[in-house]
């Protein structure tokens, strides 16, 4: 049982409540366990199922050209509560195609976005390099203009959906200026000669993840996405939309951990009562509830700010991601503790959540990077 009262908050419109209810029923009917025998096949099937269920259409702009961040957050929160891999499959369709939604030409949009929404093309976002993760502007992969197109050399790493994606949105140095000023974005089909996406990376919560290598990879001029030399800004604008949704996924993991821990505390005998009768347990539960509620407020405030007043929400998205991911780690750790030995046993939900939450504090801007964004915005108000 998970708290649904937040759906009455004024951040939501009339469409959001049925969306959350319908997805809840869909998850109960369609999602199975998260320890598949064949990870790639399972993830492909999840993308197909999410597409067939109509959920992936929220990853691409609606008829009015809008991405509704509150819907993205509600969907990620709900999926993450049921299955980390379903959330992953959903999130990457949005992040991987996000720069096309925001900056693509009409031809690029129609070539990719309908297929992404149907779950027929798997998307990926290729920004990180072996020598530049948080410091995106230091990237070294080059896209040199030659013969009316571009030739790409270099490598990207930690690319989610690497190896199963049908296309990658790639960021590479085109040399218009130094650092962040000389980067452009490209759309790269996975079967492009000169791209090797076969080197996999294994992580504590398995999902398809790879290093990509580019050797003399030729791209036509039409592969350029958005404005030449504005790739850094395009990447940041894409992350601005999806950063809040990482907070939403963390919130979903935290809600699941709180639910599991509460049920366990109520049934586990301790002395003459249960674990739930113990004041130390109650104090833990109170802290977990506080963490979940504050995360939800920050996540949906950030999403609302972008959707309704339509304001840039970098500060609020950073607050939401920082707090929701850090506090979900703490909620899940408390849940594991309340489960005792069972909490670290393979196959138990809180053990899986314990592994799943960790990367969210690192990717799409590590917690420290969010603190930089928040402090800069705060100081700018005083310096203005
Ligand atoms: C599971 C997973 C999935 C990923 N998926 C993708 C993907 O799909 N596409 C993609 O492009 N990348 C992806 N990444 C990469 C991810 O975005 C990077 O790992 C992240 O940006 C951090 O970069 P790094 O690993 O190089 O760490 P570094 O940049 O070396 O940073 C190491 C640590 O230094 C600290 N730090 C960093 N910056 C600062 C700062 N300004 N001030 C103080 N401390 C700081 C942080 O604690 C950080 O964790 C993924 C990573 C993981 C783990």
């Amino acid at each position: 049982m998970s708290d649904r009262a937040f759906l009455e908050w004024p951040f939501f419109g009339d469409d959001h409540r049925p969306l959350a209810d319908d997805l809840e029923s869909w998850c109960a009917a369609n999602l199975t366990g998260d320890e598949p025998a064949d990870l790639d096949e399972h993830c492909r099937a999840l993308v197909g199922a999410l597409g067939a269920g109509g959920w992936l259409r929220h990853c691409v702009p609606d008829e009015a050209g809008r991405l509704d961040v509150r819907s993205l957050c509600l969907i990620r929160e709900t999926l993450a509560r049921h299955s980390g891999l379903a959330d992953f499959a959903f999130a990457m369709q949005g992040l991987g195609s996000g720069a096309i939604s925001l900056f693509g030409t009409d031809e690029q949009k129609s070539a990719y976005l309908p297929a992404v929404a149907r779950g027929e093309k798997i998307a990926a976002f290729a920004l990180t390099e072996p020598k530049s993760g948080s410091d995106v502007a230091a990237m070294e992969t080059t896209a040199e203009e030659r013969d009316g197109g571009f030739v790409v050399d270099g490598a990207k790493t930690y690319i989610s959906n690497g190896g199963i994606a049908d296309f990658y949105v790639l960021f590479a140095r085109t040399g218009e200026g130094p650092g962040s000023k000389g980067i452009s974005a490209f759309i790269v089909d996975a079967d492009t000669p000169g791209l090797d996406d076969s080197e996999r990376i294994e992580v504590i919560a398995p999902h398809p993840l790879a290093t990509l290598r580019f050797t003399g990879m030729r791209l036509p001029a039409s592969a350029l996405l958005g404005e030449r030399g504005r790739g850094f800004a395009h990447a940041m604008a894409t992350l601005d939309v999806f950063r809040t949704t990482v907070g939403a996924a963390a919130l979903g993991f935290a809600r699941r951990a709180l639910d599991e821990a509460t049920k366990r505390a109520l049934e586990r005998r301790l002395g003459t009562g249960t674990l739930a009768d113990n004041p130390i347990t109650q104090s833990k539960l109170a802290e977990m509830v506080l963490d979940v509620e504050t995360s939800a407020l920050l996540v949906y405030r950030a999403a609302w700010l972008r959707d309704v007043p339509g304001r840039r929400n970098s500060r609020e998205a950073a607050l939401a991601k920082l707090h929701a991911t850090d506090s979900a780690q703490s909620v899940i750790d408390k849940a594991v503790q309340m489960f005792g030995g069972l909490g670290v046993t393979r196959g138990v939900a809180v053990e899986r959540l314990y592994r799943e939450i960790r990367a969210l504090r690192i990717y799409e801007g590590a917690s420290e990077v969010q603190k930089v964004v928040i402090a800069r915005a705060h100081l700018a108000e005083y310096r203005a």
Side-chain angles (χ1 to χ4, degrees):
M1 193 187 75
S2 187
D3 177 24
R4 314 285 292 154
F6 74 100
L7 289 167
E8 287 161 20
W9 290 351
F11 297 126
F12 299 106
D14 289 341
D15 293 352
H16 293 114
R17 287 171 268 276
L19 174 79
D21 289 342
D22 291 351
L23 181 56
E24 195 64 41
S25 312
W26 185 88
C27 288
N30 289 278
L31 296 180
T32 50
D34 251 357
E35 302 282 345
D38 184 332
L39 184 64
D40 289 1
E41 211 28 67
H42 185 66
C43 287
R44 282 193 195 96
L46 280 171
V47 173
L50 287 164
W55 306 110
L56 294 178
R57 72 184 160 75
H58 295 280
C59 291
V60 302
D62 61 17
E63 302 77 36
R66 289 180 61 254
L67 277 166
D68 186 70
V69 183
R70 289 165 298 167
S71 298
L72 289 170
C73 287
L74 275 175
I75 294 172
R76 287 204 68 180
E77 178 192 331
T78 308
L79 291 174
R81 197 152 38 72
H82 288 268
S83 152
L85 283 174
D87 167 60
F88 165 78
F90 175 83
M92 286 315 303
Q93 290 298 94
L95 179 65
S97 66
I100 303 178
S101 298
L102 295 176
F103 306 106
T105 60
D106 287 345
E107 290 73 32
Q108 289 170 330
K109 285 180 182 165
S110 56
Y112 290 91
L113 299 183
V116 165
R118 288 193 299 267
E120 290 166 7
K121 272 190 194 293
I122 297 183
F125 180 79
L127 185 68
T128 303
E129 298 190 358
K131 289 196 208 156
S132 66
S134 308
D135 187 6
V136 173
M139 73 171 59
E140 292 177 344
T141 295
T142 53
E144 201 180 300
E145 195 163 14
R146 217 184 290 165
D147 304 329
F150 295 87
V151 177
V152 180
D153 287 282
K156 296 282 170 183
T157 195
Y158 288 102
I159 306 308
S160 295
N161 274 344
I164 69 163
D166 292 293
F167 69 93
Y168 298 91
V169 166
L170 168 72
F171 298 86
R173 189 159 287 292
T174 36
E176 293 75 14
S180 64
K181 297 191 174 70
I183 294 167
S184 300
F186 298 90
I187 306 173
V188 179
D189 289 323
D191 57 3
T192 305
L195 162 60
D196 177 0
D197 60 2
S198 63
E199 185 183 328
R200 292 303 188 88
I201 303 168
E202 284 190 24
V203 283
I204 55 176
H207 69 260
L209 193 69
T211 294
L212 316 180
R213 297 193 190 282
F214 311 97
T215 316
M217 182 182 76
R218 290 186 173 276
L219 293 176
S222 59
L224 182 71
L225 175 60
E227 232 179 289
R228 198 175 155 163
R230 298 271 301 152
F232 180 87
H234 294 346
M236 294 306 125
T238 308
L239 289 172
D240 256 4
V241 175
F242 290 96
R243 191 162 278 156
T244 309
T245 78
V246 180
L251 173 62
F253 290 146
R255 280 202 209 274
R256 175 68 182 268
L258 176 59
D259 183 41
E260 297 283 339
T262 308
K263 287 179 188 154
R264 177 75 181 164
L266 284 166
E267 73 188 21
R268 181 69 171 168
R269 302 297 305 173
L270 185 73
T272 54
T274 66
L275 204 52
D277 297 322
N278 180 288
I280 296 178
T281 304
Q282 290 181 5
S283 166
K284 276 196 193 113
L285 286 170
E287 287 167 7
M288 293 159 86
V289 170
L290 179 64
D291 275 339
V292 164
E293 293 276 332
T294 48
S295 294
L297 281 162
L298 286 170
V299 163
Y300 290 110
R301 190 259 307 244
W304 171 85
L305 197 64
R306 193 180 163 95
D307 287 345
V308 182
R311 286 214 293 277
R312 180 138 197 213
N313 68 346
S314 306
R315 172 183 175 275
E316 289 75 16
L319 282 162
K321 186 194 183 249
L322 174 66
H323 182 73
T325 57
D326 280 1
S327 70
Q329 182 90 51
S330 161
V331 168
I332 294 167
D333 187 65
K334 287 189 181 78
V336 167
Q337 192 71 11
M338 283 164 66
F339 267 76
L342 196 56
V344 290
T345 306
R346 273 266 185 215
V348 173
V350 293
E351 181 270 342
R352 177 175 52 74
L353 292 165
Y354 190 76
R355 288 182 288 107
E356 264 169 340
I357 188 58
R358 192 62 186 85
L360 278 66
R361 292 168 60 205
I362 296 171
Y363 62 60
E364 291 187 46
S367 294
E368 292 81 354
V369 174
Q370 307 308 327
K371 286 181 184 168
V372 171
V373 173
I374 295 161
R376 258 192 212 144
H378 176 71
L379 290 170
E381 285 189 10
Y382 278 73
R383 285 174 177 150

